Amino acid sequence: MTTKILIGYATRYGSTQEVSEVIASTLREAGFEVDVKLVQEIKSLSDYKAVILGAPLFMFHWHKDVLRFLSRNQKILLDTQVAIFSLGPTHDPYDEQEWRDSWSQLNKELENYSWLMPVEIEMFGGRYDPDLLKFPLKMMAGKTPASDIRDWDMIRAWADKLGGKLK
Ligand SMILES: Cc1cc2nc3c(=O)[nH]c(=O)nc-3n(C[C@H](O)[C@H](O)[C@H](O)COP(=O)(O)O)c2cc1C
């Protein structure tokens, strides 16, 4: 019997969607049936044994669409296995303080959802592309170079570990 999994993601510039797709294909290879949807397009959770929620941090906060999704679906999520991943750090080379900051931003957000008991929470490096920014963020960005520190091996390994827990 398959365990149907839903990956619900929020994104502004697309990198979280690509991470969601890689998690989905890793879980499919492990035998799961997986749907991938933007959180605002999720109509029902009743078909799913587990929900993986992924979203990036922006301006010290988790993407507002995923926070809204958590608030609206508290009742059903209490009866569903939930795993969480966030994208945040983008500095290349690795910046330990940046990772600590991203983790504390995520943990602070999740404190507001103390009813949520995720089976897994993970932080992945993200992608920063100044060409995608619009005014006024483009002005504020200065000369920070583009980076993409998404670690696909780490992402696949996390998906595999999660698959083991959800079986
Ligand atoms: C304007 C802007 C603000 C950001 N603010 C934060 C932040 O406060 N904390 C953090 O960890 N990452 C921050 N990031 C990094 C994003 O989380 C990262 O770029 C992520 O990959 C974006 O995901 P998306 O492509 O799915 O929208 C910021 C990125 C941008 C462009």
Side-chain angles (χ1 to χ4, degrees), residues 9-17 55-61 63 86-90 98 101-103 105 123-129 132-133 137 150:
Y9 68 93
T11 185
R12 197 184 288 178
Y13 302 108
S15 61
T16 308
Q17 179 184 4
L57 288 156
F58 281 109
M59 304 296 189
F60 317 109
H61 293 284
H63 197 298
S86 174
L87 270 66
T90 54
E98 186 196 24
D101 291 345
S102 299
W103 268 111
Q105 290 162 14
M123 179 70 62
F124 298 128
R127 181 185 66 193
Y128 172 73
D129 183 350
L132 299 177
L133 302 182
L137 289 178
R150 288 173 296 172

Side-chain angles (χ1 to χ4, degrees), residues 89 91 93-105:
H91 293 174
Y94 175 82
D95 178 341
E96 196 178 334
Q97 185 60 49
E98 186 196 24
W99 280 80
R100 266 202 296 270
D101 291 345
S102 299
W103 268 111
S104 40
Q105 290 162 14

Side-chain angles (χ1 to χ4, degrees), residues 21-57:
E21 294 292 353
V22 168
I23 293 171
S25 59
T26 308
L27 288 168
R28 285 181 192 124
E29 280 163 24
F32 291 96
E33 207 179 318
V34 187
D35 291 339
V36 182
K37 292 183 183 170
L38 274 169
V39 278
Q40 63 267 43
E41 288 172 2
I42 297 170
K43 299 274 183 286
S44 163
L45 293 174
S46 56
D47 283 353
Y48 301 102
K49 287 262 190 243
V51 179
I52 303 172
L53 291 173
L57 288 156

Side-chain angles (χ1 to χ4, degrees), residues 78-137:
L78 278 168
D79 287 331
T80 312
Q81 296 188 92
V82 179
I84 278 177
F85 70 90
S86 174
L87 270 66
T90 54
H91 293 174
D92 193 7
Y94 175 82
D95 178 341
E96 196 178 334
Q97 185 60 49
E98 186 196 24
W99 280 80
R100 266 202 296 270
D101 291 345
S102 299
W103 268 111
S104 40
Q105 290 162 14
L106 177 64
N107 287 332
K108 198 162 169 233
E109 294 285 42
L110 294 178
E111 277 170 18
N112 297 323
Y113 300 85
S114 54
W115 51 267
L116 190 65
M117 297 290 170
V119 293
E120 277 287 330
I121 306 177
E122 190 55 283
M123 179 70 62
F124 298 128
R127 181 185 66 193
Y128 172 73
D129 183 350
D131 290 343
L132 299 177
L133 302 182
K134 297 198 174 84
F135 179 85
L137 289 178

